[in-house]
Amino acid sequence: MGYFHEEVDSPHAMLEIASERITDIVPVNIFGFNRTIGTDYETIWNNGATYAYPSSAVQMDVVSSSASDTMTLLISGLDSNYDALAEIVTVNGTATVTTANSFLRINSATILSGSNVGNITINNGGTAYAYVEAAIGTTQACVYSVARNYSLYLFRISLTSGTVNGNQYLTYRNRLDNSSGRILRVAEATWKEGMQTFDRQIPFRISPKNDIQFEAKSNASTNEASIFIEALLMKDKFDA
């Protein structure tokens, strides 16, 4: 009998999925970090401020702040139809390299060799849609867009706060944008310091063609915040 999917019959279903032995189910780990959370809501990502999505699929310009960065970079996201799209580009230091493909969404960008000396920005028209901080090697953005005919199921959400002042606290919330333009801001809550973890007994489902991001704000001054999400991306039984 399947565990929660007809193709999963192992007593260690998550191990089977993580090893990529199961088709149409992909483990998704989302990491976000922001050193300068202010008193207005902003996305938990290391480029700061509120993340904005492209209004249409566009080619992306890739550039580093260091001439030393000449490695290959994998950009993963979605095309204009909300289908998965990936492209490998070779970073050319401070010279701009443009993707061959047009991205409607970017879910991650990761270098494939070495260590990036500078900050690598993936942008269009001066708006950054992905950011790889120097020496980190991959994006740290709590931003994810769900492909059509798939759903994303959130299992665990862990947040950490760098707040040390006893009179300060952080507020976070989950922002959901769908393809028709509706925006929901849900699960607003506060925490002071350390880690706050939610292990969901019933996974929270994010529908196809929806964007998810977590936002946070401080009640005073600026604070650091990070987030870790464990999720599964599963193909829907019936295509939309």
Side-chain angles (χ1 to χ4, degrees), residues 178-229:
N178 73 6
S179 57
S180 65
R182 185 189 69 178
I183 300 174
L184 300 178
R185 295 178 173 91
V186 300
E188 190 173 58
T190 60
W191 89 108
K192 178 183 172 184
E193 59 187 355
M195 179 178 288
Q196 186 174 64
T197 296
F198 300 91
D199 286 307
R200 302 190 63 91
Q201 299 302 305
I202 300 175
F204 184 69
R205 177 177 179 260
I206 310 298
S207 302
K209 298 164 63 173
N210 272 251
D211 307 310
I212 179 176
Q213 62 174 286
F214 273 78
E215 302 173 322
K217 69 175 182 178
S218 171
N219 74 306
S221 189
T222 58
N223 294 274
E224 291 186 354
S226 62
I227 187 169
F228 306 87
I229 294 177

Side-chain angles (χ1 to χ4, degrees), residues 168-182:
Q168 292 181 12
Y169 59 89
L170 291 176
T171 304
Y172 65 89
R173 66 187 181 189
N174 181 355
R175 172 174 165 170
L176 296 170
D177 297 54
N178 73 6
S179 57
S180 65
R182 185 189 69 178

Side-chain angles (χ1 to χ4, degrees), residues 71-90:
M71 70 283 291
T72 50
L73 176 78
L74 172 63
I75 304 173
S76 300
L78 304 176
D79 66 12
S80 59
N81 295 317
Y82 283 87
D83 288 322
L85 174 65
E87 181 175 340
I88 296 175
V89 300
T90 300

Side-chain angles (χ1 to χ4, degrees), residues 11-208:
H12 302 290
M14 295 304 178
L15 179 59
E16 294 292 316
I17 293 168
S19 65
E20 299 183 356
R21 299 177 192 174
I22 309 300
T23 59
D24 296 333
I25 309 176
V26 181
V28 175
N29 293 286
I30 304 171
F31 310 101
F33 183 67
N34 190 323
R35 290 185 176 85
T36 56
I37 296 289
T39 55
D40 294 320
Y41 275 111
E42 55 187 273
T43 309
I44 304 178
W45 74 313
N46 58 347
N47 197 40
T50 300
Y51 187 90
Y53 302 99
S55 58
S56 61
V58 292
Q59 291 176 280
M60 296 290 172
D61 293 330
V62 181
V63 64
S64 174
S65 61
S66 172
S68 299
D69 290 333
T70 56
M71 70 283 291
T72 50
L73 176 78
L74 172 63
I75 304 173
S76 300
L78 304 176
D79 66 12
S80 59
N81 295 317
Y82 283 87
D83 288 322
L85 174 65
E87 181 175 340
I88 296 175
V89 300
T90 300
V91 182
N92 190 23
T94 57
T96 298
V97 177
T98 302
T99 62
N101 294 289
S102 295
F103 288 82
L104 179 66
R105 298 288 186 266
I106 294 180
N107 283 333
S108 67
T110 303
I111 63 171
L112 299 180
S113 62
S115 178
N116 57 306
V117 176
N119 300 316
I120 300 173
T121 304
I122 299 96
N123 73 91
N124 176 274
T127 299
Y129 297 110
Y131 179 80
V132 181
E133 192 174 349
I136 300 299
T138 189
T139 47
Q140 293 191 99
C142 191
V143 176
Y144 191 88
S145 298
V146 185
R148 71 184 182 100
N149 302 327
Y150 283 80
S151 292
L152 183 72
Y153 296 88
L154 305 186
F155 280 81
R156 184 175 70 90
I157 303 168
S158 295
L159 301 108
T160 65
S161 167
T163 299
V164 294
N165 187 321
N167 296 320
Q168 292 181 12
Y169 59 89
L170 291 176
T171 304
Y172 65 89
R173 66 187 181 189
N174 181 355
R175 172 174 165 170
L176 296 170
D177 297 54
N178 73 6
S179 57
S180 65
R182 185 189 69 178
I183 300 174
L184 300 178
R185 295 178 173 91
V186 300
E188 190 173 58
T190 60
W191 89 108
K192 178 183 172 184
E193 59 187 355
M195 179 178 288
Q196 186 174 64
T197 296
F198 300 91
D199 286 307
R200 302 190 63 91
Q201 299 302 305
I202 300 175
F204 184 69
R205 177 177 179 260
I206 310 298
S207 302

